Amino acid sequence: MPVNLLDFDQQGLLAYFQEIGEKPFRARQLLRWIHQFGESDFAKMSDLAKSLRAKLSESAVVEPPRLISEQQSCDGTRKWLLDVGVGNGVETVFIPENERGTLCVSTQVGCALECSFCSTGRQGFNRNLTVAEIIGQLWWANKALGCTPRNERVISNVVLMGMGEPLLNYDNTVAAVNLMLDDYAYGLSRRRVTVSTSGIVPAVDRLREECPVALAVSLHASNDALRDQLVPINRKYPLAELMAACRRYIEKAPRDFITFEYVMLDGVNDTPAHARELIELTQDVPCKFNLIPFNPFPQGGYERSSADNIRRFAESLMRAGLVVTTRKTRGDDIDAACGQLAGKVRDKTRRGEHALKEAA
Ligand code: SAH
Ligand code: SF4
């Protein structure tokens, strides 16, 4: 089996080059070809020594996941479905805004954590994505959006908020993040790469030491009893431990706050009493709140809080001095909104066939 060079961050590629007797600067040249020019054909890497190109074509490939389909929402959001094996797909979403462009990247096929309001969690866990499959999402999106190093940067931010729990696929996630940050690859700032976690406390501590980037924590509840139900991993890492880990993270984080994500579920976690509890819970953590209106999916079993309720909830947090934003729902016409990513290739194909028949 040839080695897939998309699986290596710079450190990994340097080790591989040492093994095949090549110099470090050539590895960096190759990184630029692969990640900045989106080139997968060694023959086209014109300034690489011919001997190296010959050697690579015998032992290595640059193999991103196969692109299955692409969809565009009426609000400009774009979604790509990538093939990661028979019957499986992962989805990656690009959200353009005035001042920035954000790519939402997946790290696992499915998720083992079974949060009760999340469609990815409902489908169960299949497997971890490889580094090539994680960074391949950025690789494809860059290509589809026509980015080159000479262009203005279209993708300015990456959030690891797609399918899966990034900190339960720690090594591959960190290698992919290293590439996102690497000036020879995507060159994003640490402040613009956000890992979103449901709160795997030991892995949060490890990330702080090894690869501190912006951190978002999926809080969703103001007390342990409620969070045990909504985010079952809370039974293992309860709120007091999670808050302590957030405080430790801040010491090394590139930003001086943690983002708390809070999905707004009608009648479940959105009352004035919940707001008061939240204020108390987070009083020692420098943080910002991001309220996410719940996005329904088939058999979701929850309702979205009303716009009025979300506004009132936001206001009570703000009155306590917290910074609060409410996430705009983007791309829900193509099932690309938070919690709607399912990546079922078969279903999607069937839906595609259906649409074709209707159009005919
Ligand atoms: N596993 C990680 C990252 C992926 S989920 C995590 O849980 O943080 C990204 C965000 O979308 C999380 O905050 C998650 O709780 C939220 N989410 C999941 N399902 C949702 C839904 N149906 N509506 C709105 N947000 C949802
Ligand atoms: Fe997994 Fe995050 Fe969904 Fe929970 S919200 S099931 S951790 S993807």
Side-chain angles (χ1 to χ4, degrees):
M1 275 282 274
V3 173
N4 187 359
L5 300 179
L6 267 189
D7 273 322
F8 292 138
D9 60 7
Q10 184 172 152
Q11 210 189 344
L13 196 63
L14 287 172
Y16 178 68
F17 265 48
Q18 195 172 23
E19 229 174 78
I20 62 169
E22 292 288 341
K23 296 217 166 67
F25 85 91
R26 297 231 183 268
R28 297 194 184 100
Q29 247 180 322
L30 182 63
L31 274 181
R32 296 196 65 215
W33 273 111
I34 297 174
H35 297 286
Q36 297 187 352
F37 295 98
E39 189 53 72
S40 54
D41 182 353
F42 300 127
K44 295 203 181 125
M45 301 182 181
S46 48
D47 64 355
L48 278 196
K50 273 224 173 85
S51 58
L52 172 59
R53 282 191 264 164
K55 203 189 274 184
L56 288 175
S57 52
E58 275 168 24
S59 60
V61 287
V62 177
E63 194 170 272
R66 201 175 57 83
L67 184 62
I68 298 176
S69 65
E70 181 178 343
Q71 282 175 286
Q72 184 151 5
S73 156
C74 52
D75 67 15
T77 300
R78 291 169 75 166
K79 181 169 89 165
W80 296 274
L81 180 65
L82 301 173
D83 186 9
V84 291
V86 191
N88 281 326
V90 290
E91 293 175 314
T92 187
V93 179
F94 176 67
I95 306 140
E97 287 172 296
N98 293 342
E99 303 287 316
R100 62 184 175 190
T102 303
L103 191 73
C104 179
V105 165
S106 298
T107 54
Q108 298 183 313
V109 185
C111 181
L113 295 183
E114 299 187 331
C115 300
S116 58
F117 52 84
C118 171
S119 118
T120 307
R122 290 282 179 90
Q123 90 187 61
F125 175 67
N126 187 309
R127 69 173 174 83
N128 282 331
L129 293 183
T130 63
V131 181
E133 288 164 341
I134 301 173
I135 204 64
Q137 298 168 56
L138 182 50
W139 191 91
W140 267 121
N142 250 329
K143 229 177 159 62
L145 297 166
C147 311
T148 72
R150 279 180 284 275
N151 269 350
E152 217 176 288
R153 197 170 273 151
V154 183
I155 299 174
S156 60
N157 296 55
V158 173
V159 293
L160 290 103
M161 288 185 189
M163 297 164 63
E165 168 51 54
L167 296 186
L168 289 183
N169 183 13
Y170 184 91
D171 291 344
N172 293 351
T173 294
V174 165
V177 168
N178 285 339
L179 284 167
M180 293 170 195
L181 303 177
D182 194 327
D183 283 338
Y184 289 95
Y186 300 93
L188 296 174
S189 111
R190 284 183 187 279
R191 304 156 58 88
R192 291 173 174 269
V193 175
T194 302
V195 167
S196 173
T197 180
S198 55
I200 314 294
V201 166
V204 169
D205 284 329
R206 215 179 139 192
L207 191 71
R208 176 196 69 202
E209 294 305 321
E210 296 174 356
C211 187
V213 288
L215 187 71
V217 171
S218 292
L219 200 54
H220 307 317
S222 52
N223 61 62
D224 280 315
L226 182 57
R227 196 162 191 268
D228 283 352
Q229 285 174 28
L230 298 178
V231 185
I233 193 69
N234 192 68
R235 295 173 204 157
K236 195 159 179 194
Y237 306 114
L239 284 169
E241 283 181 36
L242 182 56
M243 292 303 113
C246 289
R247 283 194 294 273
R248 293 192 292 274
Y249 196 86
I250 291 286
E251 290 163 18
K252 300 263 173 84
R255 288 176 145 172
D256 55 6
F257 61 91
I258 303 282
T259 302
F260 286 129
E261 295 164 279
Y262 197 90
V263 64
M264 297 298 295
L265 302 167
D266 186 39
V268 175
N269 64 355
D270 66 345
T271 67
H274 291 121
R276 283 194 295 277
E277 258 183 346
L278 265 186
I279 292 163
E280 172 96 24
L281 175 72
T282 59
Q283 61 183 355
D284 295 331
V285 185
C287 63
K288 290 187 181 174
F289 267 86
N290 192 212
L291 304 182
I292 316 175
F294 170 67
N295 290 310
F297 55 92
Q299 277 99 47
Y302 292 101
E303 303 280 336
R304 177 186 295 179
S305 310
S306 70
D308 263 356
N309 227 5
I310 296 177
R311 188 179 42 76
R312 274 197 293 271
F313 198 85
E315 280 167 5
S316 33
L317 299 183
M318 286 192 267
R319 270 196 302 276
L322 288 161
V323 176
V324 185
T325 51
T326 301
R327 196 174 293 175
K328 278 197 229 82
T329 295
R330 300 283 304 259
D332 54 348
D333 55 333
I334 55 167
D335 284 348
C338 307
Q340 290 184 322
L341 302 183
K344 287 201 203 91
V345 179
R346 289 200 196 96
D347 280 2
K348 293 276 147 55
T349 319
R350 227 177 286 138
R351 213 181 291 170
E353 278 166 13
H354 187 64
L356 281 178
K357 270 189 214 131
E358 297 229 308

